[in-house]
Amino acid sequence: MRIVESNGLVALCDGAGRQETVSLALTGELAEGEYVLVHLGTALRSMSEEEAADISNAISAVAAAVEGRDYEHLIQDLVDREPALPPGLHPDDDLPGQAG
């Protein structure tokens, strides 16, 4: 969501076609125009405009997929990429207790 008005630790935010009053207790005061990740009425952290757009596109892609609509254009950065395994799960990684 994008902060429209900020007043101390409370902000009016806009996103996903709606406005919501959001607590900034976890982030501290933020300026108008900044983007925040919001969960249950609380801003969890601030983020860049690019990251906010990526998250918005991902949410729209899930909704489109559920409705049977085309969604790949919304997640193009993921379409042609192999998923990365977390550290320790790659076949070439040494596991604890294993000689390398």
Side-chain angles (χ1 to χ4, degrees), residues 4-93:
V4 177
E5 295 175 18
S6 183
N7 184 12
L9 295 179
V10 177
L12 178 63
C13 295
D14 186 51
R18 63 178 177 32
Q19 286 194 335
E20 181 179 338
T21 301
V22 172
S23 169
L24 302 179
L26 297 178
T27 62
E29 294 183 31
L30 296 172
E32 294 173 13
E34 289 193 60
Y35 289 85
V36 288
L37 180 63
V38 176
H39 180 65
L40 298 175
T42 301
L44 302 178
R45 65 180 177 85
S46 63
M47 64 180 126
S48 69
E49 183 176 2
E50 181 180 285
E51 185 181 11
D54 287 345
I55 290 170
S56 179
N57 284 341
I59 292 169
S60 295
V62 170
V66 167
E67 295 169 2
R69 295 183 288 116
D70 179 42
Y71 61 88
E72 287 188 356
H73 66 284
L74 295 166
I75 54 169
Q76 196 59 49
D77 60 320
L78 301 175
V79 170
D80 296 322
R81 185 180 78 166
E82 285 292 320
L85 290 172
L89 294 182
H90 192 274
D92 297 333
D93 291 346

